Amino acid sequence: LAVRGSITPSACSPTLSASGVVDFAKIAAKDLSADSSTWLPTHILKLHVDCVAPTLFALRGNDNRAGTAHKDDGYGYGLGLINGDQKVGTYLLTLSDPVSDTAAVIPLASMNGGAGWWSFPHGTWLVRHQLAAFGTVESGIAAPIPLLNVTADLHVETSIAPASGLSLTEQVPLDGSAT
């Protein structure tokens, strides 16, 4: 006799609009500031999280190009390197305006692994050193709630490092990647 199987928590699937791609096409080197960061237009993607049943979940960003952000303050994601040592730029990710079919929700963040939550009605960072979630502030206490689905705006704010510190004699790819 064999009795097999497994009990698993509810699964959730995140997806991004535009297949998760922000494309700035070609940016002329002459249009970059020599002495300060050049901010590119903000892109807003839609983040959809669909679960098979109401589920508690949180999100944490991971920079797949870690160590390449020219403003490496723990909030930025890198855009790759030129010649192995020149940091091309940085992009920031924030979540705002969540909407769920099952409840009214606001963005939340936890800087202590989920032991405590803080509400950020205008948006929260999606970074590696904190958790981001969606929930409510009932009785003055912010907390994530189980959700079946949620859609939120994912703001992508991108800056290029000062041009004076970059070798721009050949085409340079913007090579950002995050999970």
Side-chain angles (χ1 to χ4, degrees):
L1 171 68
V3 178
R4 295 190 178 142
S6 59
I7 299 172
T8 61
S10 297
C12 297
S13 299
T15 57
L16 287 171
S17 63
S19 299
V21 175
V22 173
D23 187 355
F24 289 102
K26 293 188 178 193
I27 302 162
K30 69 176 182 61
D31 294 336
L32 300 177
S33 172
D35 302 318
S36 62
S37 298
T38 300
W39 287 92
L40 303 178
T42 298
H43 282 248
I44 300 174
L45 301 177
K46 290 290 186 185
L47 168 68
H48 303 278
V49 180
D50 295 305
C51 304
V52 296
T55 305
L56 278 172
F57 65 88
L59 305 167
R60 181 189 311 267
N62 182 56
D63 186 356
N64 298 328
R65 305 291 182 260
T68 71
H70 84 284
K71 291 185 176 183
D72 198 3
D73 57 3
Y75 290 90
Y77 295 76
L79 290 174
L81 299 171
I82 301 172
N83 298 326
D85 64 349
Q86 297 171 28
K87 297 175 180 181
V88 176
T90 302
Y91 62 101
L92 305 169
L93 300 176
T94 55
L95 292 167
S96 70
D97 302 315
V99 176
S100 174
D101 288 346
T102 55
V105 292
I106 58 172
L108 304 174
S110 175
M111 284 65 93
N112 59 12
W117 292 90
W118 291 264
S119 65
F120 293 91
H122 300 292
T124 187
W125 300 104
L126 183 58
V127 292
R128 69 180 174 269
H129 63 273
Q130 73 182 32
L131 296 173
F134 307 103
T136 63
V137 181
E138 291 185 11
S139 305
I141 299 173
I145 59 172
L147 295 172
L148 182 61
N149 56 58
V150 66
T151 299
D153 290 340
L154 177 68
H155 298 255
V156 183
E157 300 173 65
T158 307
S159 68
I160 305 300
S164 61
L166 300 176
S167 298
L168 300 172
T169 56
E170 296 181 21
Q171 185 167 302
V172 174
L174 300 184
D175 186 31
S177 174
T179 306

